[in-house]
Amino acid sequence: MTLVWQTQRGALIQTQVGTIDIVNTWSAAASVYGWLGGTERLLFLFDRLPFRNRSRERLCELNLDHQLRLQPLRALVLTSSGPLVAHMDDMQDSFGGDLRTQVIGTTICALAHELDRFTAANLFRRFLMPYLFGEETLLLDTLHSQLLETSTLQKIINEGSSRGLNDLFLKTAATLGVPPTGQTWRDTMPFENGENSLPGEVHLIAGFLKWLVSGAGLEYRTRSALVTRVAVYLKAVGHSIGSIHFWTGHGRAPSPIGARCLLLVLGGSSETDTCMPDPEDVQIINSQPRFHYQFSTIGALLLSAMGTVVDIAPETLQEDFQHIFAYIQEHLEITYGAEDGSTYATYKWKKSTWSATPTATRLASLYFPESAEVVAPCFNRIASETYLNLVRKRQVNQDLRHDSKELGRLRATNASVVISIISRFAPDTFASTRHATDLDIFDTEWLSEMCEFLDRVKNPSLPEVVYMLAGIHIGPLHKTAQKVPESFMKLSARGYRKTNIVAWRDGMYSVLPSFLLQQDLRPDNIRFVCLDQFWANVRTREDGSITSALGPGMQRYEVNISESPIDTDISALERQENKNSKDYHLGPPEASAPDRQLYLCLGSPMHIENSSELCYVAWVNGSVAGTVSIIDVFFLLVASNVEPELCPGHDADPPFINIRTSTWLQNYWDKPQSKQHPILVSARGDTGWAIFAAGQIALQDGRIVFRCPTCALQNYDRARALEYDSDDPNAQGCFIALMSSNPFPQAGQIGSSPNSLGE
């Protein structure tokens, strides 16, 4: 098999892909919660159970050996050249390369696309496994126990994502015109006396699966859009399901449309979902849905997340959301600060150009008391006494109908405010990316706590930013496998903000810092991005979170150097040769390319066995030159964002100790410092070198120079009140120069423009 790389940055010959990137990708794939090897134990059981079973023959009888739709590997790998797509035409090797495990893998992925993965595994065991593999109890129970292993199930889901099954499901459903979300998700709908009156969505799906394996010849009629989508997904991977049609439910009922077909009934009172099993036959508790949505379908998402039938058009909720999103996009900017070695976000609200009614302000103050003035215009569309009275009733614990139109719209408005504020952490990608979430606004605990958190916590930490973004882009809010406290406020109080979480991945969805994706250090690149393509070369923890390794402790040694008078009797060429012969020299800041090639990649710290933490690993001449922390690079990127956009020019440049990159590499643990002059390591045009050196001196008075070293030095002196943890507070700063190849502004060029990155 051949691994093919695709890039958007030009011809492949212009893109460097290190062998270590490939090695790290396969290492991540084989890790505990990776994306290869999830079916190995299942195949082992098939081949070694002490009886003869006809599972493979059974699958052939069902024609799955010909109909099964397998996908090639297509995954995103983050390299020093930016994101590349790895493509491998290895369809026959997917999910263990055996027909039996391939059927298990693709079917589980189809069921788990919107269901909780453990619910999907249980439904598969109860209804499909006997149909596919026979009734042998020992085989079924043993396979089931292995499927419920968290690592096994996670790997199966991840492999499906790496092979584009999520894309296949979404595109197939869109092509057939299947509603992207149902009107509601129902676990069960209670009577007023607490008894279950209506079956939950899981029971509706179970009914469809029971019909599917029964061999019934006529079509199946359902009122559940989720059942219809599950049928679409199973059909897409090769299961024998006929055509799928829609009927309004009014007028004369259509005649049967064909064998093994499905009819989605959108209204009326005709009988549907006739094969549902008894509730006790489906032992699923607190199953949580996963809604896939886009910016244009958030109205439908909010309606589904209400968890009950509410007479609100999704178009109304979509208009409410877009009104709120437009206001927050115009008035809220997220900035970042750095202090005491950690990075935090800050909400920067602009003076409002939108007016808010007094009623809207009162509504806003009930949910965002400290931010009511700036959030109030978001409530203009529901600003009426009806909604105020509704809130008053809730405050005195009066019972309210859960299907109240006003209550539903109020909750949807609050959810829209929360989603819109959180989206500002990923301003470039949220509106254009596909998302998933297990948002539930029927149970308002999460919504209330997020309103409180966004209102009260003015400087969320990086882990809190990642967790909030993951909640609306990935959906880990209620995931069964996640070991996270229920209360987000308690989560923060327990020290969650002090963890090293820098990213999150679950299936095809990821949240990560922008510079990590593009390998691009720019002062305007301090933000997060939402991805909807599987990220392959990273290891995750059980819940999908990705933590940064801590940077190694660097020691500093003193560089003593004196400024010598210039010998005017020798030529400029001779002076340059004398300068090049030294490891470092004192003089004006110099923009020079690194004199030693370095390859930077993402990996795991090599001194920690089986570590799932993420870090940058630098390679020089085939050997590891060092590792640096992701959070340290983020910290220094934020701390360095102090240079003015336009350099005013300088009468004279202060002297710097210019150090070559080869000298910087000479000692693994010790790096130079000086009490006399600032140090400058030039990595002109080489982002990999700049990231590596920046990470090494992030917590020791370091800075990245984006445009002008003199401006960076002057602003560094002004901002030194940040109080870095330095071994020697008297030491001058160490600067990593990352500028264009143009020369620096010369002394006396008052008002000259700076060199900007990317010119």
Side-chain angles (χ1 to χ4, degrees):
M1 56 186 177
T2 303
L3 187 63
V4 178
W5 299 91
Q6 298 177 352
T7 176
Q8 298 179 349
R9 292 195 174 191
L12 186 60
I13 195 173
Q14 297 173 322
T15 302
Q16 183 179 11
V17 180
T19 303
I20 192 62
D21 284 316
I22 301 175
V23 172
N24 287 340
T25 299
W26 295 126
S27 177
S31 61
V32 177
Y33 303 108
W35 47 275
L36 286 181
T39 58
E40 287 180 355
R41 293 182 180 179
L42 306 180
L43 187 57
F44 178 87
L45 293 173
F46 273 124
D47 292 339
R48 287 169 175 78
L49 283 175
F51 58 84
R52 181 179 181 275
N53 69 81
R54 298 183 61 254
S55 55
R56 186 180 283 107
E57 290 84 349
R58 173 62 176 162
L59 296 178
C60 293
E61 291 172 3
L62 297 173
N63 208 30
L64 282 170
D65 55 333
H66 298 299
Q67 293 180 177
L68 194 65
R69 185 170 180 180
L70 303 174
Q71 299 280 102
L73 171 69
R74 186 178 176 85
L76 201 65
V77 176
L78 306 189
T79 73
S80 60
S81 300
L84 302 178
V85 177
H87 183 94
M88 183 182 293
D89 189 11
D90 63 339
M91 295 180 291
Q92 298 307 316
D93 296 327
S94 61
F95 297 107
D98 185 274
L99 176 62
R100 296 165 296 185
T101 53
Q102 288 171 339
V103 169
I104 292 175
T106 54
T107 306
I108 288 289
C109 288
L111 293 173
H113 184 65
E114 294 193 37
L115 296 173
D116 174 86
R117 57 196 58 181
F118 293 101
T119 300
N122 286 324
L123 287 174
F124 179 74
R125 161 63 181 94
R126 174 63 184 84
F127 297 101
L128 293 182
M129 202 180 285
Y131 169 70
L132 296 171
F133 302 120
E135 298 286 348
E136 178 56 54
T137 304
L138 176 60
L139 172 65
L140 301 184
D141 289 346
T142 308
L143 290 175
H144 186 220
S145 66
Q146 287 300 317
L147 276 177
L148 292 181
E149 289 283 341
T150 302
S151 60
T152 298
L153 203 51
Q154 186 88 339
K155 283 188 174 185
I156 290 174
I157 301 299
N158 285 341
E159 180 168 359
S161 298
S162 71
R163 295 186 179 280
L165 288 183
N166 299 106
D167 281 320
L168 174 66
F169 299 148
L170 292 171
K171 291 177 181 178
T172 304
T175 300
L176 294 176
V178 179
T181 58
Q183 184 180 15
T184 62
W185 166 270
R186 297 192 300 269
D187 189 11
T188 55
M189 294 299 297
F191 280 124
E192 292 182 1
N193 61 8
E195 296 181 358
N196 292 334
S197 62
L198 294 174
E201 294 283 350
V202 172
H203 294 84
L204 297 177
I205 295 171
F208 166 72
L209 297 178
K210 183 179 177 182
W211 169 84
L212 182 64
V213 303
S214 68
L218 299 179
E219 83 272 9
Y220 189 73
R221 300 188 179 189
T222 181
R223 296 183 182 276
S224 169
L226 178 58
V227 170
T228 308
R229 292 195 299 275
V230 169
V232 168
Y233 307 152
L234 291 172
K235 176 181 173 66
V237 296
H239 286 272
S240 296
I241 299 174
S243 56
I244 296 173
H245 299 267
F246 308 95
W247 177 43
T248 62
H250 301 288
R252 184 177 180 181
S255 57
I257 54 180
R260 302 181 69 81
C261 295
L262 186 135
L263 183 68
L264 176 61
V265 182
L266 302 175
S269 58
S270 61
E271 186 179 19
T272 60
D273 300 286
T274 56
C275 292
M276 281 188 300
D278 295 331
E280 60 270 15
D281 199 28
V282 185
Q283 297 179 1
I284 308 297
I285 301 175
N286 295 329
S287 176
Q288 192 65 32
R290 193 185 197 197
F291 303 114
H292 296 261
Y293 71 99
Q294 301 179 54
F295 184 86
S296 60
T297 62
I298 289 182
L301 162 71
L302 295 171
L303 187 59
S304 299
M306 291 179 188
T308 186
V309 178
V310 181
D311 186 22
I312 306 178
E315 291 80 8
T316 299
L317 301 181
Q318 183 71 29
E319 291 173 0
D320 288 349
F321 171 78
Q322 290 182 350
H323 167 83
I324 293 168
F325 185 86
Y327 169 78
I328 291 178
Q329 185 181 39
E330 179 180 338
H331 293 87
L332 176 60
E333 179 185 0
I334 303 295
T335 60
Y336 291 88
E339 186 174 359
D340 294 331
S342 61
T343 311
Y344 57 87
T346 300
Y347 305 107
K348 184 178 179 181
W349 289 94
K350 302 176 184 177
K351 185 176 181 180
S352 177
T353 58
W354 299 27
S355 60
T357 66
T359 304
T361 303
R362 291 169 65 189
L363 277 172
S365 65
L366 296 172
Y367 298 97
F368 301 91
E370 297 183 19
S371 312
E373 184 178 350
V374 291
V375 174
C378 298
F379 291 83
N380 275 342
R381 288 173 62 89
I382 61 169
S384 70
E385 290 297 323
T386 300
Y387 288 93
L388 278 176
N389 292 332
L390 185 68
V391 176
R392 293 190 188 104
K393 289 180 180 180
R394 287 186 57 81
Q395 290 176 334
V396 296
N397 296 320
Q398 291 190 18
D399 291 333
L400 295 172
R401 290 178 56 89
H402 287 292
D403 60 353
S404 162
K405 180 177 180 179
E406 291 76 17
L407 179 60
R409 193 173 180 190
L410 176 63
R411 290 174 174 173
T413 298
N414 278 317
S416 296
V417 174
V418 169
I419 292 172
S420 298
I421 291 176
I422 296 175
S423 74
R424 297 302 295 155
F425 293 108
D428 298 332
T429 54
F430 179 82
S432 59
T433 308
R434 296 170 296 182
H435 311 278
T437 184
D438 55 0
L439 179 67
D440 179 7
I441 58 177
F442 178 82
D443 178 4
T444 58
E445 180 180 2
W446 176 85
L447 184 58
S448 298
E449 290 195 349
M450 287 310 304
C451 290
E452 181 183 2
F453 184 82
L454 292 172
D455 182 57
R456 288 176 50 190
V457 180
K458 307 302 182 184
N459 302 113
S461 67
L462 246 59
E464 289 166 336
V465 169
V466 172
Y467 183 80
M468 288 189 289
L469 268 176
I472 65 171
H473 175 62
I474 299 174
L477 302 178
H478 305 91
K479 194 194 307 181
T480 304
Q482 186 173 321
K483 305 297 189 295
V484 170
E486 293 181 358
S487 169
F488 190 58
M489 293 300 291
K490 292 179 182 177
L491 192 68
S492 296
R494 293 181 184 183
Y496 183 78
R497 64 187 293 120
K498 297 298 184 181
T499 65
N500 295 328
I501 293 176
V502 292
W504 208 291
R505 187 197 71 190
D506 189 3
M508 66 182 284
Y509 300 105
S510 300
V511 168
L512 67 158
S514 180
F515 77 87
L516 197 61
L517 174 67
Q518 299 292 345
Q519 300 296 304
D520 191 4
L521 294 181
R522 297 197 316 270
D524 61 347
N525 203 26
I526 307 173
R527 58 193 62 193
F528 284 83
V529 293
C530 298
L531 289 182
D532 58 2
Q533 190 171 0
F534 185 77
W535 176 14
N537 61 327
V538 67
R539 302 185 186 199
T540 73
R541 300 195 298 182
E542 180 182 343
D543 60 3
S545 61
I546 299 165
T547 57
S548 169
L550 296 177
M554 289 290 149
Q555 303 297 320
R556 305 297 292 273
Y557 66 88
E558 186 70 19
V559 175
N560 294 312
I561 191 169
S562 59
E563 188 170 5
S564 303
I566 298 177
D567 188 351
T568 57
D569 294 332
I570 62 175
S571 66
L573 179 60
E574 289 176 310
R575 285 199 300 270
Q576 183 65 38
E577 290 176 348
N578 291 336
K579 186 165 46 177
N580 292 340
S581 66
K582 299 179 181 179
D583 289 339
Y584 43 81
H585 63 274
L586 187 66
E590 297 179 356
S592 59
D595 66 337
R596 183 69 61 85
Q597 289 188 343
L598 175 145
Y599 189 80
L600 193 73
C601 67
L602 291 174
S604 298
M606 298 184 177
H607 60 284
I608 303 176
E609 186 176 357
N610 296 324
S611 173
S612 63
E613 295 181 323
L614 186 67
C615 66
Y616 281 113
V617 182
W619 294 78
V620 175
N621 295 332
S623 300
V624 175
T627 61
V628 294
S629 167
I630 306 295
I631 55 175
D632 286 352
V633 175
F634 200 114
F635 169 80
L636 195 64
L637 181 60
V638 172
S640 302
N641 190 23
V642 294
E643 291 180 53
E645 293 187 4
L646 293 177
C647 172
H650 310 285
D651 293 327
D653 289 314
F656 283 77
I657 299 177
N658 294 278
I659 295 182
R660 295 183 297 179
T661 53
S662 57
T663 303
W664 186 263
L665 288 172
Q666 286 177 0
N667 195 309
Y668 192 99
W669 299 106
D670 293 346
K671 300 303 173 185
Q673 71 175 9
S674 172
K675 297 179 181 179
Q676 301 170 296
H677 304 284
I679 289 175
L680 182 70
V681 181
S682 181
R684 188 192 72 197
D686 194 324
T687 305
W689 245 112
I691 290 175
F692 174 60
Q696 290 189 314
I697 49 88
L699 303 182
Q700 299 189 11
D701 301 317
R703 283 292 193 275
I704 303 169
V705 179
F706 298 109
R707 305 176 183 91
C708 170
T710 303
C711 287
L713 177 62
Q714 291 175 349
N715 284 278
Y716 166 79
D717 290 336
R718 297 190 191 105
R720 203 164 186 189
L722 289 175
E723 296 292 341
Y724 293 101
D725 296 329
S726 175
D727 294 335
D728 187 347
N730 296 317
Q732 297 296 310
C734 183
F735 295 83
I736 309 300
L738 178 65
M739 288 81 63
S740 66
S741 57
N742 296 329
F744 300 139
Q746 298 299 310
Q749 292 182 327
I750 303 297
S752 60
S753 299
N755 303 288
S756 60
L757 182 64
E759 287 183 357

